[in-house]
Amino acid sequence: MAKDDVPEVVRNKRVILRDYVTGFPKESDMHISFSTMILKIPENHKGVVLVKNLYLSCDPYMRLRMRNDQDPEFTPFTPGSPITRFRVAQVLDSTHLGFKEGDFVWGTTRWEEEDSFIARPERLFKIRHTDFPLSYYARILGMPGMTACAGFYEVRSPKRGEYVFVSAASGAVGQLVGQLAKLEGCYVVGSAGSSEKVQLLKERFGFDDAFNYKDEHDLEATLKRYFPEGIDIYFENVGGKMLGAVLINMRVHGRVAVCGMISQYNLDQPQGTKNLMCLDYRRIRMEGFVVFDFCHLYSEFLHKMLPLIRDERITYMEDIAEGLVNAPAALIGIFSGNNIGKKIVRVAPE
Amino acid sequence: MAKDDVPEVVRNKRVILRDYVTGFPKESDMHISFSTMILKIPENHKGVVLVKNLYLSCDPYMRLRMRNDQDPEFTPFTPGSPITRFRVAQVLDSTHLGFKEGDFVWGTTRWEEEDSFIARPERLFKIRHTDFPLSYYARILGMPGMTACAGFYEVRSPKRGEYVFVSAASGAVGQLVGQLAKLEGCYVVGSAGSSEKVQLLKERFGFDDAFNYKDEHDLEATLKRYFPEGIDIYFENVGGKMLGAVLINMRVHGRVAVCGMISQYNLDQPQGTKNLMCLDYRRIRMEGFVVFDFCHLYSEFLHKMLPLIRDERITYMEDIAEGLVNAPAALIGIFSGNNIGKKIVRVAPE
C-alpha cells in the first residue's frame, strides 16, 4: 500500500485469448495486454479479496475451453478476455472475514499478474502448510495432486500386486499416479514421448518399466510385451489409439480411470477408439472423473500427501517458465510434450 | 425306456459348425449331422445326467465363439463338433443325486436333440416353477431375463425419473430392460430396426417412445430430439456408431451398461467409437457385464420376476422356429434382425 492510504496503481499484464481456436493452438492465439489496476478494494465492496498471482498452472484441459463448444460442461474462455486456470496467489487486500492481507491461497484465477476482486473467495483454498515451496500448490499439493489421488484411489481402488499402466506418465498427474501405485504395491508401467522422459520414469519416479510410445508402431503388441498377464488398472490421460490398444490388453474386471484424452484435444474430428467390445466380455469398468467433484476431500488428501512428501516417499518434477509474458508459449508447449513434469509459470517471486 | 431294460437307441440330430467364420455368418457355416445314441447312462458312470433338449436359445454372443479368437474369455466352438448354448431340457436318465428322470432343467447344452452325458449337472438350473410354459426358461426366466435384471439393477442402479435409452430394444434383453425401467418410473426410449418393432415397443412393451435407427441419418441429432435433457442410463446392445452418438448425449454422471455390441460381431475390423472424451468431463461410468457372474442371484431374480409375470406387469415376445433342422437359419436370422423378440428353437414338444 502506498503512503497516506493512497491506493497504489499498477500496470497489470494479462494473457488474452484472441479468438476461438481450431486445430493445434499457437502462441499467437493469445496476446499480452496491459491494464491499470488500483491495489485496494473499495470500502463498499464487501466479501471479496484482491490477489497477486505467484504461479500459474498450465493444464491440457484449458485447450477444451479455447473452442466454441456448446457443451454445458465447458464454459469457453471469452475471446478478448484473460484465460483462466489454477494458480497460487497472495492476498493483497480483503473485505472477506475468512482472508486477510498476506494469506496465501490457491484456486482458479485469470491469467494476469494481479487478479482484480474475487467475488466468491470461499472457493479458494487457503494454504496453511507453508513449510513447502508455494509452487507445490500449483502441482503436487494442488489440482494435479488431487487429480492423481482422486482418480487412483476413489475411482479405481488399487490392490497390491495389480498391474497398472499410466499414459502421459511423466506429466503432471501421471508421475504421481505411478508413484502412488508403487506405494500400493502395484506393478507399474508408464508411457511417455521421449527417451529422456522414459529414463526419468524408471530412475526418478520408480516405475517398474516405461516406454516411448513414439518408438512403437503396434501399441497393442507393445502393451502385450510389457503386460504379458494383462492390465488391471489403466490411468487414461491420452485417449484415441492408445485407449484401444489398452482395452484389448485389459484383464477381466479391469478398471480404466479416464482423467483426460490429450491426444484428442486439438482434433476437429475426434478419432474413433477400437476394441470397446472388450468392455463387455472382460467386464471392464471405465469411468471419467473431474477433480472438482473431489474438492470436499482436500483436507483428507493433504493428510495423506504431506507425510509422503516430508518423508521423500513421493517426488515431483516441475518445469517452470518465468514471467507472464512467457505463459502462452508455456501453455502451447504442453501439447507438443515440451515440458517434463508439471508446467507452471512463475509470475512473481514469492 | 424300452422293454426288458434294453436301452432305447435313437438317431440324434446335431448342429455342427463346419469351420471358423469370418464376416457375416451363413446358414451353410453349419450343417446337420446324425449320430446314434443309447438313452441310458451306463451303470458305472456316476454323477451325470442325460437330457433331451426341448428349446434352444439363439444368442448374438454365439457369433463370437464362431471365430478363431485367441481371447481367453471366449472358448471358440470346435469345427466339426456341435455348437453350444442355453436350452431348456428334460432329464431322461440320471446317476446324480440332485436330478431324477422327468426333471426339467435349463443351462448350457450342445445343439442336438438328445444331449449325451452331462458331466457336471450341478451347473444346470433345475426348473421348480412349472406353472409357466417351459419356453420361458429359454427367455424371460432364463439367461435373457437374468441379463436384463443384472445389467439394469446391479450395474446401473436406476432412479425414478431418469432418462433411459435402450438399443436393440425389441430384442431378447432390450424389451425386458425397457419394461423394468418403466416399472422403476424412468422415461424410456428404445431403438429398433423396423417400423413394426418400433410400434411393438410403444404399444406392447410400454416404451415412452421409440425410433427405427435405419430411418435416421444423424443419430446424434436423433437422440438429441428424443432426449432434449440428455440420457442418464444407456443399456448398450449394439456398439459402434450408436454408442458414439449416445455418449455425446449423456448427462453428467450418466451410466452405460455394456451388455453386447451386435453391430460389431460380424466385422473383421471393428469400427472405432467416437466421443469417448465425454466420459471424462461428463463423469460417465461405462461398465461391461456378463450374465454368468450373476448366477448366484438366480433365486433372487426369480423372486422378483415371477410375481411380475403372474400379474402381467411384464410381457414378453418370443419368435419360435420349429425343429433342430431350422436352427442354423434361426441363428443366422438374428444378425439381420429377422426375429421379433427372443428367437428360440423348439426341438421337441414338452
Side-chain angles (χ1 to χ4, degrees), chain B residues 129-241:
Chain B
H129 301 272
T130 49
D131 51 332
F132 298 100
L134 286 170
S135 66
Y136 277 35
Y137 291 90
R139 50 185 184 104
I140 193 166
L141 293 175
M143 187 279 298
M146 275 284 281
T147 305
C149 273
F152 191 59
Y153 292 108
E154 295 291 321
V155 184
R156 296 302 89 174
S157 341
K159 289 188 278 292
R160 176 165 295 278
E162 285 195 312
Y163 296 99
V164 176
F165 176 54
V166 185
S167 56
S170 70
V173 175
Q175 58 177 262
L176 269 178
V177 171
Q179 292 179 81
L180 294 172
K182 283 308 301 170
L183 287 172
E184 293 299 322
C186 300
Y187 179 85
V188 188
V189 178
S191 66
S194 74
S195 54
E196 187 188 358
K197 291 178 181 177
V198 166
Q199 199 178 347
L200 266 175
L201 290 176
K202 292 196 279 191
E203 293 176 6
R204 178 152 174 186
F205 299 126
F207 282 57
D208 293 291
D209 218 330
F211 64 87
N212 178 354
Y213 72 90
K214 292 179 182 167
D215 290 345
E216 305 292 332
H217 299 293
D218 178 351
L219 287 171
E220 290 186 15
T222 304
L223 287 166
K224 179 85 190 156
R225 206 165 68 236
Y226 283 93
F227 293 98
E229 305 290 325
I231 298 166
D232 291 298
I233 296 180
Y234 173 44
F235 199 95
E236 163 68 303
N237 288 311
V238 301
K241 283 182 189 167

Side-chain angles (χ1 to χ4, degrees), chain B residues 104-134:
Chain B
F104 292 106
V105 294
W106 74 272
T108 299
T109 192
R110 282 183 287 272
W111 275 32
E112 51 190 320
E113 284 176 328
E114 324 291 331
D115 201 338
S116 49
F117 318 129
I118 293 174
R120 296 178 63 183
E122 55 276 13
R123 289 189 173 185
L124 298 173
F125 292 91
K126 200 185 258 191
I127 295 174
R128 296 176 199 280
H129 301 272
T130 49
D131 51 332
F132 298 100
L134 286 170

Side-chain angles (χ1 to χ4, degrees), chain B residues 71-111:
Chain B
D71 196 295
E73 284 308 297
F74 298 118
T75 314
F77 294 141
T78 308
S81 293
I83 61 176
T84 63
R85 194 55 178 161
F86 289 107
R87 55 67 175 91
V88 175
Q90 186 166 24
V91 175
L92 294 180
D93 195 8
S94 170
T95 57
H96 187 286
L97 288 175
F99 298 89
K100 62 180 193 305
E101 188 184 329
D103 278 352
F104 292 106
V105 294
W106 74 272
T108 299
T109 192
R110 282 183 287 272
W111 275 32

Side-chain angles (χ1 to χ4, degrees), chain B residues 202-350:
Chain B
K202 292 196 279 191
E203 293 176 6
R204 178 152 174 186
F205 299 126
F207 282 57
D208 293 291
D209 218 330
F211 64 87
N212 178 354
Y213 72 90
K214 292 179 182 167
D215 290 345
E216 305 292 332
H217 299 293
D218 178 351
L219 287 171
E220 290 186 15
T222 304
L223 287 166
K224 179 85 190 156
R225 206 165 68 236
Y226 283 93
F227 293 98
E229 305 290 325
I231 298 166
D232 291 298
I233 296 180
Y234 173 44
F235 199 95
E236 163 68 303
N237 288 311
V238 301
K241 283 182 189 167
M242 181 65 94
L243 176 56
V246 170
L247 288 175
I248 209 158
N249 279 287
M250 292 292 285
R251 302 179 87 182
V252 170
H253 295 297
R255 292 98 79 202
V256 180
V258 182
C259 175
M261 296 198 176
I262 194 169
S263 76
Q264 305 297 296
Y265 293 172
N266 300 317
L267 304 177
D268 289 335
Q269 282 299 322
Q271 290 175 323
T273 293
K274 291 187 177 178
N275 300 328
L276 285 166
M277 251 172 50
C278 301
L279 284 178
D280 180 17
Y281 55 85
R282 303 246 179 100
R283 299 88 151 158
I284 294 169
R285 200 173 96 194
M286 184 146 93
E287 188 166 0
F289 71 100
V290 170
V291 67
F292 306 112
D293 296 343
F294 296 86
C295 287
H296 60 290
L297 299 175
Y298 185 63
S299 58
E300 261 180 61
F301 159 75
L302 280 185
H303 186 72
K304 179 172 184 72
M305 292 300 279
L306 293 175
L308 291 175
I309 300 172
R310 285 195 183 108
D311 299 348
E312 295 180 359
R313 296 178 68 201
I314 287 256
T315 184
Y316 200 80
M317 200 158 173
E318 65 194 2
D319 185 338
I320 298 188
E322 293 291 343
L324 196 84
V325 289
N326 292 313
L331 177 59
I332 299 309
I334 64 173
F335 294 102
S336 316
N338 292 347
N339 57 310
I340 295 183
K342 174 68 186 169
K343 188 82 190 184
I344 57 182
V345 179
R346 191 189 337 249
V347 181
E350 292 179 16

Side-chain angles (χ1 to χ4, degrees), chain B residues 27-73:
Chain B
E27 245 187 274
S28 59
D29 290 325
M30 291 162 274
H31 70 96
I32 305 292
S33 86
F34 297 89
S35 64
T36 51
M37 263 188 76
I38 297 172
L39 292 190
K40 176 80 184 153
I41 301 172
E43 272 186 15
N44 60 352
H45 207 149
K46 297 298 179 200
V48 301
V49 299
L50 170 70
V51 304
K52 170 192 179 71
N53 287 322
L54 303 176
Y55 295 98
L56 304 176
S57 164
C58 297
D59 299 309
Y61 173 85
M62 297 167 78
R63 173 65 185 87
L64 297 175
R65 298 187 61 191
M66 288 183 175
R67 59 192 202 191
N68 190 12
D69 204 310
Q70 295 310 308
D71 196 295
E73 284 308 297

